[in-house]
Amino acid sequence: MSGEEFVPLSLTPLLIGMFAAVACALPGNFLVLRRQALIGDAISHVVLPGIVVAFLVTGTISAWPMMIGAAGASLVAVALIEAIRKLGKIEPGAAMGVTFTAMFAAGVLLLEQSDTSAVHLDVEHALYGNLESLIWLDAVGWDSLWDPVALAGLPVELPRIALTLVAVIAFVWILWRPLKLSTFDEGFAQTMGLRTGPLGLALVVVAAIAAVAAFDAVGSIIVIAMFICPPAAARLMTNRLEMQIAWSVIFAILAAVLGYVIAGYGPLWVGSDHAVSAAGMIATISGLILAIAAVAAPCRTRTGAPVE
Amino acid sequence: MLELARMDGLAAQAQSLEQSPLSVRGMTVSYGQKPAVFSVDMTVVEGSMTAIIGPNGAGKSTLLKAALGVIKPLAGRAMVHGKPLNGQRHRIAYVPQRASVDWDFPTRVIDVVLMGLYRELGLLRRIKVVHMNKAMACLDRVGMSDFADRQIGQLSGGQQQRVFLARALAQGADLYLLDEPFAGVDAATEKAIIDVLKGLKAAGKTVVAVHHDLATVRDYFDRVFLINTRKVAEGPVETTFTAENLNLAYGGRLAMAQIDQLELAAG
């Protein structure tokens, strides 16, 4: 494919897909190991009504109102979960399940009932995002990467998700040791003076920021898939956390690239002229990677552990 | 004898708080309606090896965790050499219960021991040869240096316990708190662990361990702390590890025949 076609039409969606996938997979590694993998799922469900309300209030889908709306929705969710848990005297998992689905349903209901047709905000967008439409029309070829005029026309989602990814990488890099230590042995970490409560909260907040930034571009399906599938598959590839992180990044990028390409060109190859959703295909590929890892990866079982 | 025990208790209390590597006052912890630990005072004597004993659910582990700030107590405080815990954490090494962590965690034996060096390494300092050597030396002390590159899930229970002890050794503390270090380990491991602990004591360090096996108290420890939600007794094994105190702590759950088998101090 020539640069004249690839750069304006495919480069930006590909990059956004890759950045979103990696930004979610990185914190996902720790969430999976902490048995909190569903928090990613939860976040992407819970933020929907917040984002819709933020849009209804401000009338735009710009970054800050959406972030604030998402944060507000998260707080409401936490309060609801605590209330249901205390008042209903049920286990936290059930309280979370009720809260997430109820809030997601409320978000969908709000979307359907309100007039959001003027902007790209509807149920389909919320689920699948609009990766294919994040094109760079100002570009004419690879040379545009050095053309300030053309660069000014980049879709706003690209710098937003790139910045989010940088922040996620910085978080994991700087707090690597405390994150690893407190994920493995929280009690021990506390006796060393580590504040594991705020650290765990920071991890969830970082995951939430990644989820909201990614949600904006690629929808909630991909967010849920990327929090869990690449880290879970990576865990089956290695017995070292450092290597697991590396594998999860590889898998996330692989899923993003393969998913995008197959969604765009796969139907053409089989004779259909309708492309399928890129985000949906990326999520599908990540699931396939996990399935393959589950049957063929080298560290599927902790073999060698003597039975006591 | 009871009189003597009481006098020893007073002596321990009188030992200035600055000398005690760990003193606990009025510690009260509750997990729900019922307190798990109620208003417990404990004064660990420097250079001693103390066994915390009591029946299941007596609050042994809870007392340890509350003293370390892992559990937030309802009331009470712990002091290290008379100072608040927070500035003194480098003086304490902790071995949690083996079952408290997920041994499937993707990490190697040597990485776990290096965790004990976190205070030295901080957030971003590079792991250098001296750190590796230190960690390997600690593994060597527990007889696990051949396993440095193993994934921790591939170890037996006893080996896992030894790795935990090596991590505590890496902390380079003067007070070692161990939560059931002998639970579910093989005889070789039990021997290895007690040798290390006795070595620590010989080097002037202080050891406190939650302990289950009453038969070995006399061989392993020189002081006992009996607890059943409330403190029952505290003092040297010779005067405090008595049938009377055990009955008080275990509340008749210990058959007299069992007690008879222990070489107890005259009650």
Side-chain angles (χ1 to χ4, degrees):
Chain A
M1 192 196 306
S2 67
E4 289 88 67
E5 198 185 324
F6 176 75
V7 176
L9 294 180
S10 288
L11 180 65
T12 43
L14 254 179
L15 284 177
I16 290 169
M18 278 162 53
F19 290 171
V22 176
C24 291
L26 280 176
N29 278 290
F30 291 99
L31 295 177
V32 166
L33 287 173
R34 285 166 176 247
R35 311 262 190 270
Q36 293 181 325
L38 284 178
I39 284 207
D41 190 351
I43 292 165
S44 54
H45 280 85
V46 154
V47 296
L48 182 65
I51 288 172
V52 177
V53 168
F55 165 74
L56 291 177
V57 172
T58 62
T60 61
I61 44 168
S62 53
W64 283 112
M66 284 178 69
M67 277 287 181
I68 293 168
S74 307
L75 288 178
V76 170
V78 170
L80 267 178
I81 291 167
E82 275 305 298
I84 294 172
R85 204 167 64 84
K86 291 256 165 65
L87 296 175
K89 291 195 170 47
I90 56 173
E91 54 138 346
M96 285 186 208
V98 170
T99 306
F100 303 155
T101 41
M103 288 190 69
F104 190 68
V108 172
L109 207 64
L110 267 175
L111 266 182
E112 293 288 349
Q113 295 300 314
S114 56
D115 179 27
T116 54
S117 51
V119 292
H120 221 90
L121 191 63
D122 50 49
V123 174
E124 207 174 299
H125 172 215
L127 286 176
Y128 305 121
N130 57 339
L131 199 51
E132 295 88 343
S133 67
L134 301 176
I135 50 180
W136 185 20
L137 288 173
D138 296 292
V140 290
W142 288 106
D143 292 342
S144 299
L145 289 176
W146 287 270
D147 179 3
V149 180
L151 283 176
L154 272 175
V156 63
E157 284 84 356
L158 181 61
R160 196 183 290 165
I161 192 73
L163 204 66
T164 307
L165 177 60
V166 170
V168 169
I169 291 173
F171 172 80
V172 172
W173 184 272
I174 293 170
L175 293 177
W176 172 256
R177 279 186 191 139
L179 278 171
K180 182 177 172 182
L181 186 49
S182 65
T183 302
F184 172 58
D185 192 344
E186 188 174 11
F188 182 77
Q190 284 169 340
T191 65
M192 284 219 153
L194 276 179
R195 295 165 57 82
T196 55
L199 188 65
L201 191 65
L203 177 64
V204 172
V205 168
V206 165
I209 291 171
V212 174
F215 175 89
D216 176 25
V218 295
S220 65
I221 295 260
I222 208 174
V223 170
I224 297 166
M226 284 305 149
F227 269 122
I228 299 176
C229 292
R235 175 65 189 92
L236 300 170
M237 296 299 292
T238 171
N239 276 328
R240 290 191 62 188
L241 185 55
E242 292 79 1
M243 300 304 293
Q244 180 188 323
I245 302 275
W247 275 110
S248 74
V249 171
I250 291 170
F251 286 151
I253 291 174
L254 195 68
V257 173
L258 274 182
Y260 182 80
V261 171
I262 293 175
Y265 302 100
L268 297 178
W269 297 334
V270 295
S272 163
D273 51 358
H274 292 290
V276 297
S277 155
M281 187 53 77
I282 292 172
T284 306
I285 297 291
S286 75
L288 279 176
I289 291 174
L290 177 57
I292 294 168
V295 293
C299 300
R300 300 192 307 284
T301 52
R302 308 291 99 76
T303 46
V307 182
E308 278 168 47
Chain B
M1 262 316 183
L2 205 62
E3 214 33 47
L4 219 156
R6 192 167 299 142
M7 276 168 63
D8 176 81
L10 290 176
Q13 303 233 325
Q15 185 189 35
S16 66
L17 286 179
E18 281 78 47
Q19 269 175 1
S20 172
L22 181 68
S23 52
V24 170
R25 291 291 172 268
M27 194 59 82
T28 302
V29 185
S30 169
Y31 291 121
Q33 297 290 319
K34 263 184 75 181
V37 168
F38 187 77
S39 191
V40 167
D41 291 352
M42 177 168 76
T43 307
V44 175
V45 174
E46 187 160 28
S48 70
M49 276 178 80
T50 304
I52 299 179
I53 50 182
N56 286 332
K60 303 183 293 290
S61 298
T62 304
L63 175 65
L64 215 56
K65 286 183 193 155
L68 285 164
V70 174
I71 298 174
K72 206 172 149 36
L74 283 179
R77 67 207 155 101
M79 281 181 298
V80 176
H81 290 281
K83 300 191 191 89
L85 179 68
N86 265 336
Q88 307 293 321
R89 289 189 180 274
H90 60 282
R91 306 178 81 158
I92 301 180
Y94 173 54
V95 178
Q97 276 182 28
R98 188 164 52 85
S100 67
V101 306
D102 172 17
W103 290 93
D104 272 350
F105 192 84
T107 199
R108 296 172 307 172
V109 165
I110 188 76
D111 297 320
V112 173
V113 182
L114 284 166
M115 287 177 189
L117 295 174
Y118 173 70
R119 290 191 147 269
E120 266 176 64
L121 289 167
L123 287 182
L124 296 170
R125 213 159 296 138
R126 278 178 62 95
I127 295 171
K128 298 204 190 95
V129 179
V130 317
H131 302 119
M132 287 303 274
N133 288 345
K134 206 171 189 174
M136 282 306 289
C138 294
L139 274 178
D140 205 35
R141 281 167 77 182
V142 298
M144 287 291 292
S145 44
D146 291 343
F147 295 83
D149 288 327
R150 283 278 188 97
Q151 203 268 329
I152 53 171
Q154 298 173 343
L155 304 176
S156 71
Q159 290 168 333
Q160 290 171 348
Q161 189 68 59
R162 287 197 241 176
V163 172
F164 259 14
L165 181 58
R167 179 178 68 175
L169 293 173
Q171 290 181 270
D174 16 83
L175 170 63
Y176 292 79
L177 300 174
L178 303 93
D179 200 343
E180 305 213 13
F182 304 112
V185 305
D186 52 285
T189 295
E190 180 149 345
K191 169 100 173 56
I193 291 175
I194 198 65
D195 285 349
V196 169
L197 296 184
K198 287 190 166 163
L200 287 172
K201 180 184 154 61
K205 316 282 190 194
T206 310
V207 176
V208 178
V210 172
H211 193 57
H212 252 309
D213 184 6
L214 295 177
T216 52
V217 168
R218 202 159 253 292
D219 293 337
Y220 292 173
F221 298 94
D222 54 16
R223 289 181 68 85
V224 286
F225 183 94
L226 288 105
I227 180 173
N228 190 350
T229 306
R230 296 160 194 266
K231 168 175 151 182
V232 174
E234 173 181 33
V237 170
E238 297 84 52
T239 52
T240 312
F241 192 55
T242 60
E244 186 186 0
N245 281 337
L246 282 173
N247 267 327
L248 276 174
Y250 286 79
R253 267 185 274 178
L254 217 55
M256 273 325 275
Q258 270 177 288
I259 295 181
D260 285 343
Q261 281 176 8
L262 304 170
E263 292 175 49
L264 294 171

